[in-house]
Amino acid sequence: MSCGEPHEKDCSEVLDHLYEYLDREMPAGECAEFQVHLDECSPCLEKYGLEQAVKKLVKRCCGHDDVPTDLRSKVMGRIDLIRAGETVPELSVLEQAKHEQAQREQADAEATDAGGSAGADPGDARAEAARAE
């Protein structure tokens, strides 16, 4: 996207790094250049406002959920790989987490089957006893 006006920093470059600016992950000097561009370019400012609103909405709606520690570390590891220019595994972090969760559930189910009702929930036993009466 380009507004057609000349700027020191091109519109496409601003939009490519918009989330770095929004997340305050950009060096201060570049932030100042972005702010100058946004002050001059209404289409980019509009896009910035939209992305800022989406980010606030997501935070309001989803910001209270605790992120599992292992998922957070996997995501950060993937980000580090990408920044280092290394090859990224084929599975997405979410797919990988789902796969590992399925493996844990399968192992738990096999352990429960092997141990009979030894690992059963006491609440289940009470409910079953109440049904028997």
Side-chain angles (χ1 to χ4, degrees), residues 3 5 23-24 30 33 40 59 62-63 67 70-71 77 104 117:
C3 68
E5 299 292 322
D23 295 338
R24 294 183 166 92
E30 286 184 50
E33 291 175 15
E40 297 173 347
K59 182 177 181 179
C62 306
V67 177
D70 62 329
L71 179 59
R104 283 192 296 272
S117 61

Side-chain angles (χ1 to χ4, degrees), residues 37-98:
H37 182 94
L38 294 175
D39 290 344
E40 297 173 347
C41 182
S42 60
C44 287
L45 181 61
E46 185 177 335
K47 180 72 172 164
Y48 167 77
L50 176 64
E51 296 301 328
Q52 187 177 39
V54 168
K55 184 176 175 171
K56 285 180 182 177
L57 179 64
V58 168
K59 182 177 181 179
R60 189 178 78 226
C61 295
C62 306
H64 304 291
D65 296 338
D66 290 331
V67 177
T69 306
D70 62 329
L71 179 59
R72 181 182 299 275
S73 65
K74 288 175 186 170
V75 169
M76 294 309 294
R78 182 74 56 98
I79 289 170
D80 290 341
L81 285 175
I82 292 169
R83 285 183 176 161
E86 296 180 25
T87 306
V88 180
E90 286 185 33
L91 284 178
S92 71
V93 172
L94 183 57
E95 289 170 335
Q96 185 178 355
K98 286 179 181 177

